[in-house]
Amino acid sequence: MFTNSQRQEERTGKYGTPRVEYLQQLVTQFQNASSEETKEKIVANLANFAYDPYNFTFLRQVKKLLNECFEYCNHRIFLVSCLNISCDVKQLNVIELFLDCLTEPNEKLVEFGIGGICNACADPANAALVTQNDGIPLIVQCLSSPVRSTVNYALGALYYLCNASNKEKILKPEVIDAIKSYAAASEVSTSFSNLAQAFLDKHVPQAY
């Protein structure tokens, strides 16, 4: 079930952590995690949040802080200057974290990252952010993944992303050929076939 502001307020209560701060905590936990399994769980959790339209704006607001000192006070995170410590800050929202995951050798991180992108790209502003951050080539690479769900998510993401301003980056002959092969593979995977055919029907002229 999708969330709205009233339902979210009822669930968190007066002293609960606001959604944007909770997402920030997840991003920070990902940055500080040393275990691949922990990172996988965090990205999977973020990808689930990306499915709910209520969170679309928050995904663009949340920032990731690198090489920083944190002070926690009343559920809020403050960047503090520590003696003899240089705090280099790079701002990175959840969408960019998902894109970073696509460059990882860990197939689970790639799967959950592209899943988050697919979910988030249903929102045009998030889709634009993916394009602005050079996400299209990374998503296209996912079409050749050995992980079936990764390919499914990549097809879904490209379906949402493709438009007049970026179609030249997506509708390349090798990409169209790959998607056509998935569309013709209904005996192997109905989900591949249906998603791929939906993409072709919407974005690829019959002349291709």
Side-chain angles (χ1 to χ4, degrees):
M1 179 181 293
F2 293 146
T3 307
N4 56 41
S5 297
Q6 180 179 352
R7 185 178 295 117
Q8 179 62 19
E9 185 175 349
E10 291 171 352
R11 292 176 62 185
T12 58
K14 183 177 180 180
Y15 301 105
T17 303
R19 177 59 55 86
V20 70
E21 291 185 20
Y22 178 70
L23 293 175
Q24 174 65 76
Q25 290 173 12
L26 289 178
V27 173
T28 302
Q29 289 170 17
F30 179 88
Q31 168 61 23
N32 294 333
S34 57
S35 162
E36 288 292 296
E37 183 179 358
T38 299
K39 289 183 178 181
E40 292 167 8
K41 290 179 179 179
I42 293 170
V43 178
N45 198 3
L46 287 169
N48 286 334
F49 277 110
Y51 179 74
D52 191 337
Y54 175 77
N55 297 315
F56 283 165
T57 300
F58 299 144
L59 298 177
R60 300 189 295 274
Q61 291 177 340
V62 173
K63 303 298 180 182
K64 179 181 178 185
L65 305 177
L66 304 180
N67 302 322
E68 72 284 357
C69 304
F70 285 107
E71 177 180 296
Y72 290 86
C73 178
N74 296 327
H75 302 290
R76 294 185 181 276
I77 302 173
F78 294 90
L79 184 67
V80 297
S81 297
C82 301
L83 184 63
N84 296 325
I85 296 178
S86 173
C87 294
D88 177 32
V89 180
K90 177 184 178 183
Q91 294 187 333
L92 181 68
N93 58 38
V94 176
I95 302 296
E96 291 165 341
L97 186 152
F98 288 149
L99 289 172
D100 275 357
C101 287
L102 303 191
T103 67
E104 294 287 337
N106 183 330
E107 290 288 356
K108 282 291 185 182
L109 287 180
V110 174
E111 177 186 355
F112 298 142
I114 188 63
I117 290 169
C118 179
N119 289 340
C121 280
D123 175 61
N126 286 337
L129 190 59
V130 170
T131 301
Q132 291 165 13
N133 283 277
D134 298 322
I136 289 175
L138 296 174
I139 295 169
V140 168
Q141 288 178 10
C142 291
L143 291 176
S144 58
S145 170
V147 180
R148 182 169 296 183
S149 56
T150 296
V151 177
N152 270 342
Y153 290 138
L155 288 168
L158 291 174
Y159 177 89
Y160 288 122
L161 284 169
C162 191
N163 58 42
S165 67
N166 62 31
K167 64 181 181 180
E168 291 184 359
K169 297 180 180 179
I170 296 176
L171 299 181
K172 295 181 178 180
E174 62 272 22
V175 176
I176 294 175
D177 287 345
I179 294 176
K180 283 183 175 180
S181 69
Y182 287 130
S186 58
E187 294 183 1
V188 177
S189 172
T190 303
S191 60
F192 278 3
S193 179
N194 290 344
L195 275 171
Q197 191 59 55
F199 178 92
L200 295 173
D201 290 343
K202 182 175 182 180
H203 299 296
V204 180
Q206 292 296 320
Y208 270 83

